[in-house]
């Protein structure tokens, strides 16, 4: 066998081996063992399976084309180096398909865990409600999963996946240490805020507004430069405060309660604000959206946790400049009217008037006497109410955890049953339509 023929044969065998391994990648519907209530929403499952099937189909076609080429006359005449080069790119594409499968597999495998799987499905419902802005965009499918460590993260829908391809769903990673309390919403809604901001183009719009302020030359250039650098994370915090009020700020305090060196750390490359300033800003935004003494109380408590004594003079000057510009910056966020909202502010379209502290307290007292009403409320409102009650001392941590765990299960079950009912109704409608399309038999026909 010549060197060229041997190379063609070897590479053909390797390509066929790739094909056999590709065929072993099955649909999640055939491999996951979750209970029905823990499964993804119909929209998320369809979007993910459609994307992965498309990727496998395209790769399968490419492998077959390569085998035909390498076993044919053109492939036999090609140099071993050329045939191997083509195979190498094919194998890289194979690994991309596997990596995309693993991205979703990591999130879905937890759906088989007792209780956690159903809670995650409930968090999908909660996230979808937190993201909803009817009339401004279509909410993409959302998939939640748990991870170690205190930090949450999101792989946004409609962004590029590693190796290419558009992500079909928002994948949100939530820290296990947040399970389960109202502060869960702080991390979860922050990540939801990243997705909402991307759908509305808020970051670019706000950066333009911040540059205008910076060009005025009336404020500290360093401070406004930092606000612009941090704006993507700040918008996500703003979204969280607008959805769940004080729950967001209290939850944020829990996330960034770290040793002093980290709380005051200024890294010019980090998109996250200095943790000390981040909590102060969250309190300021809360005070603008939901006027109440609780925000000043939380801000003072944060200062008591982290006094400025011991910081260098330069460090204190930066913090002072940020705090001096903070009121105007917070007002800019609240009053900003991006083109995507057609002349309205984010505050106006998110219905913050319905989530004032006094109103949340009324909801809580009403739900205590009529427990069935809590299940009728939007999930994000429920977390706002229970978080406010926890801050007010009206509910204990034990009661809070038990209530929210049961509600996450309920939302997961209700979503599953609603989807099943919808599918059943559609099937009946399609069957009836099929019958109605059948031409009627002549009256003299033999039946």
């Amino acid at each position: 066998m010549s060197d060229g023929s041997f190379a063609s044969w070897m590479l053909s065998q390797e390509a066929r081996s790739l094909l056999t391994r590709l065929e072993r990648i099955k649909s999640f519907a055939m491999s996951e063992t979750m209970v029905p209530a823990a499964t993804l929403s119909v929209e998320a499952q369809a979007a993910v399976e459609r994307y992965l099937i498309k990727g496998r189909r395209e790769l399968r076609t490419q492998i077959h084309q390569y085998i035909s080429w390498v076993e044919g006359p053109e492939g036999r005449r090609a140099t071993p180096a050329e045939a191997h080069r083509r195979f190498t790119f094919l194998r890289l594409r194979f690994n991309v398909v596997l990596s995309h499968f693993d991205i979703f597999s990591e999130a879905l495998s937890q759906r088989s865990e007792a209780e956690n799987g159903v809670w995650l499905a409930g968090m999908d419902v909660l996230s979808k409600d937190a993201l909803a802005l009817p009339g401004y965009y279509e909410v993409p499918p959302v998939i939640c999963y748990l991870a170690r460590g205190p930090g949450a993260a999101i792989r946004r829908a409609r962004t590029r996946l590693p190796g290419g391809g558009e992500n079909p769903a928002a994948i949100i990673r939530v820290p296990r240490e947040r399970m389960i309390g109202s502060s869960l919403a702080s991390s979860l809604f922050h990540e939801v805020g990243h997705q909402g901001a991307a759908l509305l183009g808020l970051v670019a719009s706000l950066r333009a507004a911040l540059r205008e302020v910076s060009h005025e030359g009336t404020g500290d250039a360093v401070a406004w430069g930092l606000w612009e650098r941090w704006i993507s994370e700040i918008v996500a915090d703003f979204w969280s405060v607008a959805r769940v009020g004080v729950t967001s700020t209290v939850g944020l305090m829990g996330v960034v309660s770290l040793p002093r060196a980290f709380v005051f750390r200024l890294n010019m490359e980090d998109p996250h604000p200095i943790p000390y300033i981040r909590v102060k800003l969250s309190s300021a935004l809360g005070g603008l959206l939901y006027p109440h003494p609780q925000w000043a109380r939380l801000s003072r408590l944060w200062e008591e946790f982290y006094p400025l004594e011991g910081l260098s003079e330069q460090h204190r000057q930066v913090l002072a400049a940020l705090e001096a510009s903070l009121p105007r910056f917070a007002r800019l966020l609240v009053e900003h009217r991006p083109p995507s909202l057609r002349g309205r502010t984010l505050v106006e379209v998110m219905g913050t008037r319905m989530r004032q502290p006094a109103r949340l307290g009324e909801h809580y007292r009403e739900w205590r006497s009529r427990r069935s009403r809590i299940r009728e409320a939007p999930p994000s409102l429920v977390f706002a109410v229970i978080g406010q009650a926890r801050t007010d001392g009206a509910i204990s941590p034990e009661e809070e955890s038990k209530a929210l765990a049961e509600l996450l299960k309920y939302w997961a079950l209700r979503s599953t049953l609603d989807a099943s009912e919808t599918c059943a109704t559609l099937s009946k409608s399609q069957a009836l339509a099929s019958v109605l399309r059948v031409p009627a038999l002549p009256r003299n026909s033999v039946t």
Side-chain angles (χ1 to χ4, degrees):
M1 184 182 293
S2 66
D3 289 343
S5 298
F6 181 62
S8 297
W9 178 81
M10 281 287 292
L11 292 170
S12 173
Q13 296 295 299
E14 287 299 308
R16 288 164 61 186
S17 180
L18 282 184
L19 202 57
T20 63
R21 299 201 294 275
L22 181 64
E23 297 301 330
R24 292 186 180 277
I25 303 174
K26 303 299 181 184
S27 165
F28 289 120
M30 297 290 290
S31 58
E32 295 295 340
T33 58
M34 66 193 76
V35 297
T39 194
L40 301 181
S41 68
V42 173
E43 297 84 1
Q45 188 168 356
V48 170
E49 293 287 14
R50 189 184 304 118
Y51 176 82
L52 294 177
I53 289 171
K54 179 175 180 289
R56 292 198 295 270
R57 184 184 297 123
E58 291 175 350
L59 177 58
R60 190 179 297 112
T61 299
Q62 293 169 357
I63 293 174
H64 281 299
Q65 289 174 343
Y66 177 80
I67 292 172
S68 297
W69 175 83
V70 78
E71 290 181 348
E74 187 178 350
R76 291 195 182 95
R77 288 195 301 270
T79 64
E82 171 62 17
H84 186 260
R85 184 187 67 82
R86 295 194 183 198
F87 173 76
T88 299
F89 282 105
L90 193 66
R91 192 167 64 84
L92 289 175
R93 178 60 191 158
F94 176 76
N95 286 329
V96 167
V97 169
L98 287 183
S99 70
H100 291 179
F101 179 85
D102 287 339
I103 285 172
F104 297 102
S105 178
E106 181 182 8
L108 286 179
S109 62
Q110 294 178 355
R111 301 296 172 116
S112 301
E113 297 178 8
E115 290 196 315
N116 280 345
V118 179
W119 287 336
L120 287 170
M123 287 161 57
D124 294 346
V125 177
L126 176 63
S127 301
K128 186 175 180 180
D129 180 61
L131 187 55
L133 278 184
Y136 293 97
Y137 53 67
E138 182 180 349
V139 176
V142 180
I143 302 170
C144 296
Y145 75 105
L146 302 177
R148 292 180 299 173
I154 183 172
R155 189 183 293 275
R156 298 196 311 272
R158 305 170 193 173
T159 56
R160 187 178 185 273
L161 287 171
E166 186 179 270
N167 187 16
I171 308 174
I172 301 178
R173 185 186 74 199
V174 180
R176 284 185 183 271
E177 61 104 9
R178 306 257 90 187
M179 298 293 286
I180 293 174
S182 58
S183 58
L184 165 68
S186 179
S187 296
L188 187 62
F189 289 9
H190 173 90
E191 302 308 328
V192 164
H194 279 300
Q195 182 68 72
L199 294 171
L200 293 172
L202 294 180
V203 172
S205 177
L206 280 164
R207 278 201 170 123
L210 288 169
R211 289 191 187 109
E212 289 182 11
V213 174
S214 184
H215 291 157
E216 291 175 5
T218 56
D220 189 289
V222 173
W224 287 98
L226 288 172
W227 292 131
E228 183 182 343
R229 180 183 300 277
W230 297 332
I231 192 61
S232 64
E233 294 296 329
I234 288 172
V235 169
D237 280 346
F238 181 23
W239 193 287
S240 181
V241 173
R243 282 302 193 203
V244 286
V246 73
T247 307
S248 176
T249 303
V250 171
L252 176 62
M253 290 172 71
V255 170
V256 299
S257 286
L258 302 165
R260 283 177 58 86
F262 294 98
V263 172
F264 289 111
R265 183 168 178 258
L266 174 59
N267 181 355
M268 300 298 289
E269 302 302 320
D270 191 345
H272 296 84
I274 302 170
Y276 179 81
I277 291 295
R278 189 175 173 187
V279 171
K280 300 281 281 186
L281 176 60
S282 181
S283 298
L285 289 171
L288 287 174
L289 297 178
Y290 310 109
H292 191 278
Q294 65 186 1
W295 304 104
R297 187 166 62 245
L298 287 174
S299 186
R300 287 194 301 272
L301 178 63
W302 190 243
E303 292 171 358
E304 292 171 0
F305 286 164
Y306 295 100
L308 301 183
E309 286 79 5
L311 296 178
S312 68
E313 183 61 29
Q314 183 180 14
H315 210 142
R316 291 169 71 108
Q317 287 177 358
V318 173
L319 292 178
L322 287 167
E323 291 208 56
S325 60
L326 194 152
R328 184 182 179 187
F329 174 64
R331 179 68 63 181
L332 182 150
L333 290 174
V334 170
E335 296 178 351
H336 184 62
R337 300 179 185 275
S340 57
L341 294 182
R342 303 188 286 276
R344 305 182 73 189
T345 67
L346 192 60
V347 175
E348 291 169 341
V349 301
M350 295 184 84
T352 55
R353 289 183 180 180
M354 304 297 292
R355 306 192 181 204
Q356 297 299 321
R359 191 69 174 271
L360 297 179
E362 291 173 4
H363 281 308
Y364 179 72
R365 289 187 292 274
E366 180 184 358
W367 294 349
R368 291 280 286 190
S369 59
R370 300 178 61 189
R371 291 182 178 274
S372 61
R373 297 295 299 273
I374 193 171
R375 293 186 170 188
E376 300 169 6
S380 59
L381 176 61
V382 170
F383 267 75
V385 169
I386 293 181
Q388 183 68 54
R390 170 73 186 281
T391 302
D392 294 340
I395 186 173
S396 70
E398 294 80 8
E399 292 174 309
E400 172 196 51
S401 181
K402 181 179 178 181
L404 292 177
E406 291 303 316
L407 283 165
L408 287 173
K409 289 180 182 179
Y410 170 74
W411 293 327
L413 178 60
R414 185 179 66 185
S415 176
T416 302
L417 295 179
D418 286 348
S420 298
E421 181 65 26
T422 300
C423 292
T425 302
L426 287 174
S427 297
K428 291 178 182 177
S429 300
Q430 291 168 352
L432 179 60
S434 177
V435 170
L436 293 175
R437 285 196 296 269
V438 176
L441 292 171
R443 289 186 178 181
N444 61 351
S445 298
V446 177
T447 59

